[in-house]
Amino acid sequence: MAPLRTVFLRLPAYAINGLTVALGIGLIQLLAGGLGGAHAALVASSGAVFASLADMPNATHRTWRRVATAALLGCLISALANALARQPLAMGALMALCGFISAMVLAWGLRAASVSFAGILAVVFTAAAPSAPDLASQLRHLAWTAFGAGAYTGWAVAAAALVQPRLRTLSLAVLLEAAARLLRARAGLLQAEPGEVTDALPLQTWIRDEAALDDRLQVARDLLFAAPSSPHTERQSALLLEVIQLRETFLASELDLELLGGDRAAAPVVAALAQHLLQLADGLADMARALTLRQPLAPGRDPAATVALEPVWPIPPANHLRLTEVLVLRARHMAECVGRMQALMQGGAAQVPLSRDDLQLFVSVEGWPLAALRPHLTLRSPVLRHAVRAAVALGCAYWLGSVLPWASHPHWLVLSVAVVLRGNLEQTLSRRNLRVAGTVIGCLLVMALAQAGPGPFAALIFLLAVALAHAFATRQYLVTAVAATVMALLQAHLADPTSGFAITERLADTVLGAALAWAFSFVLPSWEHRALPRLVGRVTRGMARLTGEALQWPQGAQADVALRLARREVYEALGALAASAQRTSVEPLHVRLPLYGLADLLMRSRSLLAQLAAIRVLVHSRAAELDAAQAGEAMQAAAAEIQQRLEADGAEASAGPLHGRPGLPVASAIDAPWPWLLRRLHLAQQAAADMAYAARALRKAASS
């Protein structure tokens, strides 16, 4: 039993979600089959499948709202599809309408993505079923569809409530693992030989790791901050806030390393810092493992004890000695943060600096306000452009599918176009390749099953495919494409066992659908340069706001809420800019954004973030040794200068970056923090000037 328990505990949240989805659909199949026979089971399972699209790892109240919305949307469209099944032109119009609605739902953001596809899947499933000859048959079909969708909504809420504690624990575990990878990546860069690292690699690594950490942070916020208050959830929330603090301290620790130079005297310092990061990463990984396996955290060495306050590395120059002291202090701050996390894991008292109401501000927005649609009621909006594109593509796909020689499954062609055609070319190309490859693999698997004769195991294999398709939809689409192919072929076989497996049709429809989606991606395209001014403006405005909050004398937890919100907005803005850089890399050359300009702005933004983080660490750790009035005045003056540069928004197009880097203060950072604070404020102003110049240069290059 112990190995089986370990296997279960190692299941990630998305795998648990896939299993609960498949189990729910299987139970609904059995129940509907017992009440109404095989046909009722097949129709009810279709309703359950399209409702399950919105069932992702989430808080219970969010699961209820999203799954119920998907179920209602799917049932409505299924009823329309049933009524129009014998009218090809009207059915094609309905397909186009589904494509339009599906894309417009994305106006509410990525949280609506799982709901948006429910309508398309509902109309595809209805088209796959034998058409109802009369009104009574249509009503029976709708009743069983609604039964499946409604029953699954109830199941999703019950399953979400049951697995909530496990989801919260796993969200923390994957967050700790992501933080450990961030530290290990930095240690790897420090340990690399100078010739091994290109200029682009550190930035690419930072973008990838920060994006992964951002995703996991928001998932953890949504689960933990919405959880009922208890000593256990408070300890988990405190642990999450410590991870955020570690991220800021880690960012500050990257500064000034270039001042050590590359001589032999500096090598021991860099090696020791890299080793220290690896030790902290190991500590984070141990905590993640303990959370995952429900084991107590084994007592380990205090991470703070691995860094001495007095430098032990033989560096003769005095300025290197002073710099080493600063680097050691930063390493100590990170170690203390990990130490506090270990204490929480071992049952220490939780001290959450924010109230429950404050924590709710960091939870993702929920709901469907109609006001969100207003900005997208123009063809300048990428959402509306994609909606029109999807509508035309799906309507054409249905018409083409109905006149092809293999016209028995025109809905397969529609589905292939719907899953491949994305809002931008980069995602469409990726989906195109994965969809075709997954279909080929899935068809080979079904051919092997046909030779073996699946017989009574066909239903179980169908449910396994449901679990895999759902679990990996946002993780690895190739697995989802394989499982979806097995699902579709088995579903058609279960509906009409005498027809065999339409493998050739499936392959042809997938290849043709992928080609159609690729072609339609050039209809009303939303090239990245259209959104660049908005993205750059969001980054500069967010950084200006963060600067105003960060460069204030510490004023308690309540003032810290605004800082945390501003910091989250900056990371989200930088993530959007980095995603734009990735997407534009596959666009036609004449519309492609200058990647060097995007990389430069991201690098300058990162530098300013690090400077602000370093100032916060210095002020909070040495507040008792600084004059509050004097330091506060200097910080406000620096904030005003930085905000003026960042908010100029092109008004100072001729202005360039500041030059002249201040030297290290003569006094030790341990004995006299004031001159070190002044130096850091000057460096922050330099970083802001560089960032503003990079933003203006990027706008100019993109518009030329």
PDB file of all heavy atoms in Angstrom, residues 53-54 70 73 77 98-99 101-106 109-121 368 422:
ATOM      1  N   LEU A  53     -15.146  21.072 -19.518  1.00  0.00           N
ATOM      2  CA  LEU A  53     -14.055  21.904 -20.029  1.00  0.00           C
ATOM      3  C   LEU A  53     -13.694  23.017 -19.054  1.00  0.00           C
ATOM      4  O   LEU A  53     -12.536  23.423 -18.951  1.00  0.00           O
ATOM      5  CB  LEU A  53     -14.451  22.517 -21.377  1.00  0.00           C
ATOM      6  CG  LEU A  53     -14.549  21.579 -22.573  1.00  0.00           C
ATOM      7  CD1 LEU A  53     -14.949  22.361 -23.808  1.00  0.00           C
ATOM      8  CD2 LEU A  53     -13.240  20.848 -22.810  1.00  0.00           C
ATOM      9  N   ALA A  54     -14.694  23.535 -18.329  1.00  0.00           N
ATOM     10  CA  ALA A  54     -14.446  24.641 -17.403  1.00  0.00           C
ATOM     11  C   ALA A  54     -14.021  24.166 -16.023  1.00  0.00           C
ATOM     12  O   ALA A  54     -13.783  24.995 -15.134  1.00  0.00           O
ATOM     13  CB  ALA A  54     -15.706  25.498 -17.278  1.00  0.00           C
ATOM     14  N   ALA A  70     -20.489  27.161 -18.449  1.00  0.00           N
ATOM     15  CA  ALA A  70     -20.204  26.305 -19.606  1.00  0.00           C
ATOM     16  C   ALA A  70     -21.366  25.355 -19.884  1.00  0.00           C
ATOM     17  O   ALA A  70     -21.719  25.104 -21.045  1.00  0.00           O
ATOM     18  CB  ALA A  70     -18.915  25.520 -19.368  1.00  0.00           C
ATOM     19  N   LEU A  73     -24.287  27.415 -21.482  1.00  0.00           N
ATOM     20  CA  LEU A  73     -23.940  27.797 -22.853  1.00  0.00           C
ATOM     21  C   LEU A  73     -24.000  26.581 -23.773  1.00  0.00           C
ATOM     22  O   LEU A  73     -24.554  26.641 -24.887  1.00  0.00           O
ATOM     23  CB  LEU A  73     -22.540  28.420 -22.871  1.00  0.00           C
ATOM     24  CG  LEU A  73     -21.987  28.820 -24.243  1.00  0.00           C
ATOM     25  CD1 LEU A  73     -22.844  29.913 -24.864  1.00  0.00           C
ATOM     26  CD2 LEU A  73     -20.534  29.288 -24.113  1.00  0.00           C
ATOM     27  N   ILE A  77     -26.655  25.942 -27.044  1.00  0.00           N
ATOM     28  CA  ILE A  77     -26.169  25.737 -28.405  1.00  0.00           C
ATOM     29  C   ILE A  77     -26.517  24.339 -28.899  1.00  0.00           C
ATOM     30  O   ILE A  77     -26.823  24.134 -30.083  1.00  0.00           O
ATOM     31  CB  ILE A  77     -24.656  26.007 -28.461  1.00  0.00           C
ATOM     32  CG1 ILE A  77     -24.408  27.499 -28.231  1.00  0.00           C
ATOM     33  CG2 ILE A  77     -24.062  25.556 -29.784  1.00  0.00           C
ATOM     34  CD1 ILE A  77     -22.978  27.917 -28.239  1.00  0.00           C
ATOM     35  N   CYS A  98     -20.977  30.158 -33.277  1.00  0.00           N
ATOM     36  CA  CYS A  98     -20.239  29.553 -32.158  1.00  0.00           C
ATOM     37  C   CYS A  98     -18.791  30.009 -32.145  1.00  0.00           C
ATOM     38  O   CYS A  98     -18.219  30.292 -31.080  1.00  0.00           O
ATOM     39  CB  CYS A  98     -20.310  28.033 -32.242  1.00  0.00           C
ATOM     40  SG  CYS A  98     -21.923  27.358 -31.832  1.00  0.00           S
ATOM     41  N   GLY A  99     -18.180  30.060 -33.340  1.00  0.00           N
ATOM     42  CA  GLY A  99     -16.809  30.540 -33.414  1.00  0.00           C
ATOM     43  C   GLY A  99     -16.689  31.979 -32.954  1.00  0.00           C
ATOM     44  O   GLY A  99     -15.744  32.347 -32.240  1.00  0.00           O
ATOM     45  N   ILE A 101     -18.790  33.666 -30.878  1.00  0.00           N
ATOM     46  CA  ILE A 101     -19.026  33.765 -29.439  1.00  0.00           C
ATOM     47  C   ILE A 101     -17.830  33.240 -28.654  1.00  0.00           C
ATOM     48  O   ILE A 101     -17.407  33.841 -27.655  1.00  0.00           O
ATOM     49  CB  ILE A 101     -20.305  32.986 -29.062  1.00  0.00           C
ATOM     50  CG1 ILE A 101     -21.533  33.664 -29.673  1.00  0.00           C
ATOM     51  CG2 ILE A 101     -20.451  32.879 -27.547  1.00  0.00           C
ATOM     52  CD1 ILE A 101     -22.809  32.879 -29.473  1.00  0.00           C
ATOM     53  N   SER A 102     -17.289  32.122 -29.100  1.00  0.00           N
ATOM     54  CA  SER A 102     -16.145  31.523 -28.406  1.00  0.00           C
ATOM     55  C   SER A 102     -14.976  32.491 -28.322  1.00  0.00           C
ATOM     56  O   SER A 102     -14.332  32.619 -27.278  1.00  0.00           O
ATOM     57  CB  SER A 102     -15.715  30.240 -29.130  1.00  0.00           C
ATOM     58  OG  SER A 102     -14.551  29.701 -28.549  1.00  0.00           O
ATOM     59  N   ALA A 103     -14.707  33.205 -29.409  1.00  0.00           N
ATOM     60  CA  ALA A 103     -13.591  34.147 -29.403  1.00  0.00           C
ATOM     61  C   ALA A 103     -13.918  35.400 -28.596  1.00  0.00           C
ATOM     62  O   ALA A 103     -13.058  35.938 -27.892  1.00  0.00           O
ATOM     63  CB  ALA A 103     -13.222  34.524 -30.836  1.00  0.00           C
ATOM     64  N   MET A 104     -15.147  35.878 -28.671  1.00  0.00           N
ATOM     65  CA  MET A 104     -15.513  37.093 -27.935  1.00  0.00           C
ATOM     66  C   MET A 104     -15.502  36.871 -26.422  1.00  0.00           C
ATOM     67  O   MET A 104     -15.259  37.808 -25.654  1.00  0.00           O
ATOM     68  CB  MET A 104     -16.886  37.592 -28.374  1.00  0.00           C
ATOM     69  CG  MET A 104     -16.903  38.254 -29.737  1.00  0.00           C
ATOM     70  SD  MET A 104     -15.760  39.675 -29.867  1.00  0.00           S
ATOM     71  CE  MET A 104     -16.473  40.814 -28.679  1.00  0.00           C
ATOM     72  N   VAL A 105     -15.760  35.641 -25.981  1.00  0.00           N
ATOM     73  CA  VAL A 105     -15.713  35.355 -24.546  1.00  0.00           C
ATOM     74  C   VAL A 105     -14.327  35.639 -23.974  1.00  0.00           C
ATOM     75  O   VAL A 105     -14.172  35.965 -22.787  1.00  0.00           O
ATOM     76  CB  VAL A 105     -16.137  33.886 -24.284  1.00  0.00           C
ATOM     77  CG1 VAL A 105     -15.844  33.470 -22.852  1.00  0.00           C
ATOM     78  CG2 VAL A 105     -17.620  33.726 -24.561  1.00  0.00           C
ATOM     79  N   LEU A 106     -13.298  35.583 -24.825  1.00  0.00           N
ATOM     80  CA  LEU A 106     -11.939  35.851 -24.369  1.00  0.00           C
ATOM     81  C   LEU A 106     -11.738  37.311 -23.982  1.00  0.00           C
ATOM     82  O   LEU A 106     -10.683  37.676 -23.471  1.00  0.00           O
ATOM     83  CB  LEU A 106     -10.936  35.462 -25.457  1.00  0.00           C
ATOM     84  CG  LEU A 106     -10.883  33.962 -25.784  1.00  0.00           C
ATOM     85  CD1 LEU A 106      -9.917  33.709 -26.927  1.00  0.00           C
ATOM     86  CD2 LEU A 106     -10.482  33.167 -24.559  1.00  0.00           C
ATOM     87  N   GLY A 109     -10.666  37.665 -20.544  1.00  0.00           N
ATOM     88  CA  GLY A 109      -9.339  37.206 -20.161  1.00  0.00           C
ATOM     89  C   GLY A 109      -9.162  35.707 -20.274  1.00  0.00           C
ATOM     90  O   GLY A 109     -10.081  34.968 -20.651  1.00  0.00           O
ATOM     91  N   LEU A 110      -7.952  35.255 -19.911  1.00  0.00           N
ATOM     92  CA  LEU A 110      -7.628  33.837 -20.039  1.00  0.00           C
ATOM     93  C   LEU A 110      -8.483  32.960 -19.135  1.00  0.00           C
ATOM     94  O   LEU A 110      -8.662  31.769 -19.406  1.00  0.00           O
ATOM     95  CB  LEU A 110      -6.142  33.619 -19.719  1.00  0.00           C
ATOM     96  CG  LEU A 110      -5.156  34.184 -20.751  1.00  0.00           C
ATOM     97  CD1 LEU A 110      -3.732  33.934 -20.299  1.00  0.00           C
ATOM     98  CD2 LEU A 110      -5.395  33.562 -22.121  1.00  0.00           C
ATOM     99  N   ARG A 111      -9.020  33.530 -18.049  1.00  0.00           N
ATOM    100  CA  ARG A 111      -9.855  32.735 -17.165  1.00  0.00           C
ATOM    101  C   ARG A 111     -11.106  32.227 -17.879  1.00  0.00           C
ATOM    102  O   ARG A 111     -11.730  31.251 -17.452  1.00  0.00           O
ATOM    103  CB  ARG A 111     -10.261  33.556 -15.939  1.00  0.00           C
ATOM    104  CG  ARG A 111     -11.084  34.787 -16.266  1.00  0.00           C
ATOM    105  CD  ARG A 111     -11.213  35.695 -15.040  1.00  0.00           C
ATOM    106  NE  ARG A 111     -11.825  36.962 -15.378  1.00  0.00           N
ATOM    107  CZ  ARG A 111     -13.129  37.182 -15.380  1.00  0.00           C
ATOM    108  NH1 ARG A 111     -13.941  36.193 -15.064  1.00  0.00           N
ATOM    109  NH2 ARG A 111     -13.610  38.365 -15.674  1.00  0.00           N
ATOM    110  N   ALA A 112     -11.491  32.909 -18.983  1.00  0.00           N
ATOM    111  CA  ALA A 112     -12.677  32.514 -19.734  1.00  0.00           C
ATOM    112  C   ALA A 112     -12.368  31.511 -20.834  1.00  0.00           C
ATOM    113  O   ALA A 112     -13.286  31.049 -21.520  1.00  0.00           O
ATOM    114  CB  ALA A 112     -13.342  33.750 -20.340  1.00  0.00           C
ATOM    115  N   ALA A 113     -11.088  31.161 -21.016  1.00  0.00           N
ATOM    116  CA  ALA A 113     -10.708  30.302 -22.143  1.00  0.00           C
ATOM    117  C   ALA A 113     -11.377  28.938 -22.069  1.00  0.00           C
ATOM    118  O   ALA A 113     -11.858  28.401 -23.074  1.00  0.00           O
ATOM    119  CB  ALA A 113      -9.191  30.153 -22.190  1.00  0.00           C
ATOM    120  N   SER A 114     -11.412  28.354 -20.867  1.00  0.00           N
ATOM    121  CA  SER A 114     -12.005  27.015 -20.748  1.00  0.00           C
ATOM    122  C   SER A 114     -13.511  27.048 -20.981  1.00  0.00           C
ATOM    123  O   SER A 114     -14.088  26.098 -21.513  1.00  0.00           O
ATOM    124  CB  SER A 114     -11.705  26.435 -19.359  1.00  0.00           C
ATOM    125  OG  SER A 114     -12.176  27.298 -18.336  1.00  0.00           O
ATOM    126  N   VAL A 115     -14.160  28.152 -20.597  1.00  0.00           N
ATOM    127  CA  VAL A 115     -15.601  28.285 -20.825  1.00  0.00           C
ATOM    128  C   VAL A 115     -15.890  28.520 -22.301  1.00  0.00           C
ATOM    129  O   VAL A 115     -16.886  28.035 -22.852  1.00  0.00           O
ATOM    130  CB  VAL A 115     -16.172  29.438 -19.970  1.00  0.00           C
ATOM    131  CG1 VAL A 115     -17.651  29.660 -20.261  1.00  0.00           C
ATOM    132  CG2 VAL A 115     -15.969  29.149 -18.488  1.00  0.00           C
ATOM    133  N   SER A 116     -15.020  29.271 -22.967  1.00  0.00           N
ATOM    134  CA  SER A 116     -15.297  29.714 -24.330  1.00  0.00           C
ATOM    135  C   SER A 116     -15.456  28.561 -25.311  1.00  0.00           C
ATOM    136  O   SER A 116     -16.198  28.665 -26.292  1.00  0.00           O
ATOM    137  CB  SER A 116     -14.168  30.640 -24.817  1.00  0.00           C
ATOM    138  OG  SER A 116     -12.972  29.919 -25.027  1.00  0.00           O
ATOM    139  N   PHE A 117     -14.789  27.447 -25.073  1.00  0.00           N
ATOM    140  CA  PHE A 117     -14.811  26.338 -26.026  1.00  0.00           C
ATOM    141  C   PHE A 117     -15.991  25.403 -25.818  1.00  0.00           C
ATOM    142  O   PHE A 117     -16.228  24.513 -26.634  1.00  0.00           O
ATOM    143  CB  PHE A 117     -13.507  25.546 -25.937  1.00  0.00           C
ATOM    144  CG  PHE A 117     -13.158  24.810 -27.194  1.00  0.00           C
ATOM    145  CD1 PHE A 117     -12.740  25.493 -28.320  1.00  0.00           C
ATOM    146  CD2 PHE A 117     -13.275  23.435 -27.271  1.00  0.00           C
ATOM    147  CE1 PHE A 117     -12.429  24.819 -29.494  1.00  0.00           C
ATOM    148  CE2 PHE A 117     -12.965  22.749 -28.435  1.00  0.00           C
ATOM    149  CZ  PHE A 117     -12.544  23.448 -29.555  1.00  0.00           C
ATOM    150  N   ALA A 118     -16.755  25.600 -24.732  1.00  0.00           N
ATOM    151  CA  ALA A 118     -17.864  24.688 -24.442  1.00  0.00           C
ATOM    152  C   ALA A 118     -18.913  24.720 -25.547  1.00  0.00           C
ATOM    153  O   ALA A 118     -19.466  23.671 -25.920  1.00  0.00           O
ATOM    154  CB  ALA A 118     -18.498  25.053 -23.098  1.00  0.00           C
ATOM    155  N   GLY A 119     -19.214  25.900 -26.080  1.00  0.00           N
ATOM    156  CA  GLY A 119     -20.217  26.002 -27.141  1.00  0.00           C
ATOM    157  C   GLY A 119     -19.811  25.266 -28.399  1.00  0.00           C
ATOM    158  O   GLY A 119     -20.630  24.578 -29.034  1.00  0.00           O
ATOM    159  N   ILE A 120     -18.535  25.413 -28.783  1.00  0.00           N
ATOM    160  CA  ILE A 120     -18.060  24.725 -29.989  1.00  0.00           C
ATOM    161  C   ILE A 120     -18.126  23.213 -29.802  1.00  0.00           C
ATOM    162  O   ILE A 120     -18.575  22.472 -30.693  1.00  0.00           O
ATOM    163  CB  ILE A 120     -16.632  25.176 -30.326  1.00  0.00           C
ATOM    164  CG1 ILE A 120     -16.646  26.630 -30.800  1.00  0.00           C
ATOM    165  CG2 ILE A 120     -16.003  24.271 -31.378  1.00  0.00           C
ATOM    166  CD1 ILE A 120     -15.296  27.192 -31.111  1.00  0.00           C
ATOM    167  N   LEU A 121     -17.699  22.737 -28.641  1.00  0.00           N
ATOM    168  CA  LEU A 121     -17.734  21.290 -28.409  1.00  0.00           C
ATOM    169  C   LEU A 121     -19.177  20.780 -28.366  1.00  0.00           C
ATOM    170  O   LEU A 121     -19.472  19.668 -28.849  1.00  0.00           O
ATOM    171  CB  LEU A 121     -17.020  20.953 -27.099  1.00  0.00           C
ATOM    172  CG  LEU A 121     -16.470  19.528 -26.983  1.00  0.00           C
ATOM    173  CD1 LEU A 121     -15.490  19.243 -28.107  1.00  0.00           C
ATOM    174  CD2 LEU A 121     -15.797  19.327 -25.637  1.00  0.00           C
ATOM    175  N   TRP A 368     -18.464  38.153 -14.874  1.00  0.00           N
ATOM    176  CA  TRP A 368     -18.563  38.403 -16.307  1.00  0.00           C
ATOM    177  C   TRP A 368     -19.210  39.771 -16.565  1.00  0.00           C
ATOM    178  O   TRP A 368     -20.299  39.847 -17.137  1.00  0.00           O
ATOM    179  CB  TRP A 368     -19.380  37.292 -16.977  1.00  0.00           C
ATOM    180  CG  TRP A 368     -18.960  35.925 -16.542  1.00  0.00           C
ATOM    181  CD1 TRP A 368     -19.508  35.176 -15.555  1.00  0.00           C
ATOM    182  CD2 TRP A 368     -17.883  35.147 -17.068  1.00  0.00           C
ATOM    183  NE1 TRP A 368     -18.850  33.983 -15.424  1.00  0.00           N
ATOM    184  CE2 TRP A 368     -17.838  33.927 -16.351  1.00  0.00           C
ATOM    185  CE3 TRP A 368     -16.946  35.357 -18.089  1.00  0.00           C
ATOM    186  CZ2 TRP A 368     -16.907  32.939 -16.604  1.00  0.00           C
ATOM    187  CZ3 TRP A 368     -16.024  34.360 -18.342  1.00  0.00           C
ATOM    188  CH2 TRP A 368     -16.010  33.171 -17.618  1.00  0.00           C
ATOM    189  N   ARG A 422      -5.778  30.053 -33.442  1.00  0.00           N
ATOM    190  CA  ARG A 422      -5.636  30.820 -32.205  1.00  0.00           C
ATOM    191  C   ARG A 422      -5.622  32.313 -32.528  1.00  0.00           C
ATOM    192  O   ARG A 422      -5.651  32.731 -33.675  1.00  0.00           O
ATOM    193  CB  ARG A 422      -4.341  30.449 -31.480  1.00  0.00           C
ATOM    194  CG  ARG A 422      -4.178  28.973 -31.117  1.00  0.00           C
ATOM    195  CD  ARG A 422      -5.098  28.540 -29.993  1.00  0.00           C
ATOM    196  NE  ARG A 422      -6.381  28.051 -30.486  1.00  0.00           N
ATOM    197  CZ  ARG A 422      -7.425  27.815 -29.716  1.00  0.00           C
ATOM    198  NH1 ARG A 422      -7.360  28.045 -28.424  1.00  0.00           N
ATOM    199  NH2 ARG A 422      -8.541  27.364 -30.246  1.00  0.00           N
TER     200      ARG A 422
END
